[in-house]
Amino acid sequence: MARDFVPFGLTVCGIEELNGFCEAGVTHVLSILDPGHPEPTAFGSYGEHKRLELRFHDIIDPYMGQSLPQRADVERILAFGRDLMTEPTGVGGLLVHCHAGISRSTAALTMILAQASPDRPAAEAMAAVVGIRHKAWPNLRMIEFADEILERRGELVAAVRARHRSYGRERPDLVQFMIDNGRVREVADLID
């Protein structure tokens, strides 16, 4: 389904999985790391590739002195996505990763797909990401910025909130994790 959006392969993973993609023909990497986290050593085993590295924590509201994703971060992700679509030499594959491959990376890929096919429903972009990474739980703050920038009038946010609801019902432990880590806005309609 993701190939309906972009003409290149897509991968989403966490840091611990990066070594498994050294031979995957990845030509572009979107790397989202916590501030202060060392650069993953796996990239030394990748072939030549272009990489955008961003650093912010996986939070959606101010939380215990951590760095929030900013609008400028989302703008850089979207610019990277636009550049991929116009790459003159082609893109063999895009790998998007964050710490666990669940939240920041899936938010980034969702917005890249929504941007690549602006006439398609945002729910289809979200479904394509879930098809790649079932445990997708996109970071709501990043999606809120992307929805505004892409002028989706709440459609992208609604698609991600629907994902949070469906996956939250499947994984109540994840709902509790989000509550415990200051992300109550993402699970508010799942709390009794």
Side-chain angles (χ1 to χ4, degrees), residues 43-139:
F43 293 131
S45 301
Y46 279 49
E48 186 177 330
H49 65 277
K50 293 182 182 179
R51 182 165 14 131
L52 172 62
E53 181 179 298
L54 299 172
R55 291 185 175 267
F56 50 83
H57 290 103
D58 190 18
I59 57 176
I60 63 169
D61 291 310
Y63 188 72
M64 295 175 30
Q66 295 184 1
S67 300
L68 282 161
Q70 300 297 322
R71 180 184 176 99
D73 297 312
V74 172
E75 289 170 342
R76 290 183 68 195
I77 292 167
L78 292 171
F80 188 71
R82 279 191 306 276
D83 290 348
L84 287 171
M85 295 301 289
T86 60
E87 183 77 30
T89 59
V91 176
L94 168 63
L95 181 142
V96 184
H97 87 88
C98 59
H99 188 79
I102 296 173
S103 184
R104 291 170 287 183
S105 57
T106 62
L109 187 54
T110 301
M111 67 181 73
I112 287 171
L113 295 183
Q115 175 180 246
S117 294
D119 296 333
R120 293 184 65 178
E124 290 181 11
M126 183 73 258
V129 172
V130 171
I132 295 167
R133 191 74 166 175
H134 179 73
K135 57 185 174 179
W137 185 285
N139 179 293

